[in-house]
Amino acid sequence: MKYRKIDAHDHPRPDLEYQIDMADRLGVEKINISRPRLKSPGANENGPQTPEEVRLCNDEVLNAMKKYPDRFIGFFTLNPLYLKESLEEIKRRVDQGFAGFKGYTVYKINDPLYYPIIEKLIDLNMLCYMHAECELGAGGYRMKYDIKVRPNVTVPEDMAEAAKRYPEAMFQWAHIASGDFEYICKFIKDCPNIYVDISGSNNEEMQVDFCIEQLGEDRIFFGSDGSYYQSVGKILASNATESQRRKIFFDNYNNVLKKSGHNVA
């Protein structure tokens, strides 16, 4: 393949063999996986509600890592309401080879409950990677956030506040395509410690070019979130230079992983 690739956003799929096969077809060397919410019937949509559910989520990731140790990079999830258990879980998962944290919508990333978690991630030089959203607007007016299902979803204002409070931390905005990517980029432009991944099934034209224009070429990660060929294609279809494509596909994410010793050789 022309470009080395690390997928900075995916999850353990029901068919891991298919997932690895797709990675092989597209030249993806490593895949970041996390399970930030249970997929079982009746599970809370916002993420694990108890320490026991947290462990179930992370164990699923661990099992995939054990099956394909050379392909999966595991990220653990937490519920920050349980601080003691969360710090214990971080130690357990770091000892098992996990490389960072992935949060969902139990609490916003700027909630004070997250402060000690972020501080621990700073100590470990690990990413604080959050499911985040931004509602689309119309006619120049950005609609109010839909709080019916996920009232604690992280939005641009939340992540920017956390990033400014902790400038030494590293944040990853999951799937920049989830909503108004232009607004997201403009709002976090002046937060150099926020990275974005371009994963997801929304593939607007010029999305990658806009991210490069607003954020620079060093803050963008390739990711799929299950949209494998689409996420490769949007980079290849962009106006990114050869150097920029190499950075987005591989170098940017690998440089961040290197800070915690989890980079790809």
Side-chain angles (χ1 to χ4, degrees):
M1 294 290 181
K2 186 173 183 179
Y3 306 103
R4 297 186 73 184
K5 303 180 188 74
I6 305 174
D7 187 338
H9 183 155
D10 206 2
H11 308 282
R13 300 295 167 179
D15 187 343
L16 294 178
E17 289 76 13
Y18 170 79
Q19 191 171 6
I20 294 298
D21 179 61
M22 286 299 296
D24 289 342
R25 290 168 184 253
L26 296 169
V28 177
E29 298 177 35
K30 296 271 191 175
I31 308 165
N32 171 308
I33 55 171
S34 63
R35 175 60 68 213
R37 66 183 178 96
L38 290 172
K39 302 293 284 186
S40 54
N44 192 291
E45 284 286 320
N46 292 305
Q49 300 297 298
T50 66
E52 292 73 25
E53 289 186 356
V54 166
R55 285 194 290 273
L56 286 174
C57 288
N58 293 332
D59 282 345
E60 181 182 348
V61 175
L62 180 63
N63 291 336
M65 292 166 62
K66 287 180 176 178
K67 188 167 185 178
Y68 292 100
D70 297 326
R71 304 304 295 277
F72 287 132
I73 301 169
F75 270 45
F76 52 82
T77 198
L78 303 165
N79 184 327
L81 180 63
Y82 302 95
L83 177 58
K84 177 179 177 290
E85 291 86 350
S86 290
L87 294 177
E88 291 172 350
E89 184 72 359
I90 291 174
K91 184 180 187 309
R92 178 184 303 111
R93 301 307 174 176
V94 169
D95 289 345
Q96 292 170 340
F98 283 63
F101 163 72
K102 170 68 184 291
Y104 208 62
T105 59
V106 178
Y107 294 98
K108 292 173 174 288
I109 189 56
N110 60 334
D111 191 298
L113 287 172
Y114 264 121
Y115 293 171
I117 305 299
I118 296 172
E119 290 162 10
K120 184 61 179 178
L121 294 170
I122 291 169
D123 291 341
L124 295 168
N125 290 314
M126 288 182 170
L127 270 168
C128 181
Y129 160 38
M130 288 295 292
H131 175 99
E133 299 176 7
C134 182
E135 295 294 319
L136 286 167
Y141 170 71
R142 193 162 65 93
M143 295 182 294
K144 292 181 179 179
Y145 300 115
D146 180 2
I147 61 171
K148 297 184 183 71
V149 177
R150 294 176 178 151
N152 287 328
V153 66
T154 292
V155 297
E157 293 84 350
D158 303 326
M159 188 171 285
E161 181 181 323
K164 290 173 182 177
R165 180 181 180 86
Y166 291 105
E168 66 274 47
M170 298 178 293
F171 297 88
Q172 178 179 339
W173 179 287
H175 39 56
I176 188 73
S178 60
D180 190 344
F181 71 88
E182 293 181 347
Y183 179 86
I184 299 167
C185 285
K186 290 175 182 178
F187 201 91
I188 66 172
K189 180 177 182 178
D190 295 326
C191 299
N193 55 333
I194 299 180
Y195 300 83
V196 303
D197 72 60
I198 60 156
S199 68
S201 57
N202 298 322
N203 299 291
E204 292 93 338
E205 186 178 6
M206 306 302 289
Q207 182 186 111
V208 174
D209 298 287
F210 191 85
C211 289
I212 293 173
E213 175 190 317
Q214 294 294 316
L215 304 177
E217 61 194 45
D218 298 321
R219 293 169 57 190
I220 306 167
F221 300 152
F222 161 67
S224 70
D225 197 15
S227 296
Y228 300 115
Y229 62 88
Q230 299 96 324
S231 296
V232 172
K234 71 171 75 172
I235 298 173
L236 297 180
S238 74
N239 294 313
T241 65
E242 289 294 295
S243 174
Q244 289 170 336
R245 290 179 184 185
R246 284 193 294 272
K247 286 185 174 183
I248 295 170
F249 273 129
F250 186 89
D251 292 341
N252 290 343
Y253 193 60
N254 204 40
N255 287 338
V256 170
L257 292 176
K258 189 174 183 179
K259 295 180 181 182
S260 64
H262 292 88
N263 58 298
V264 182

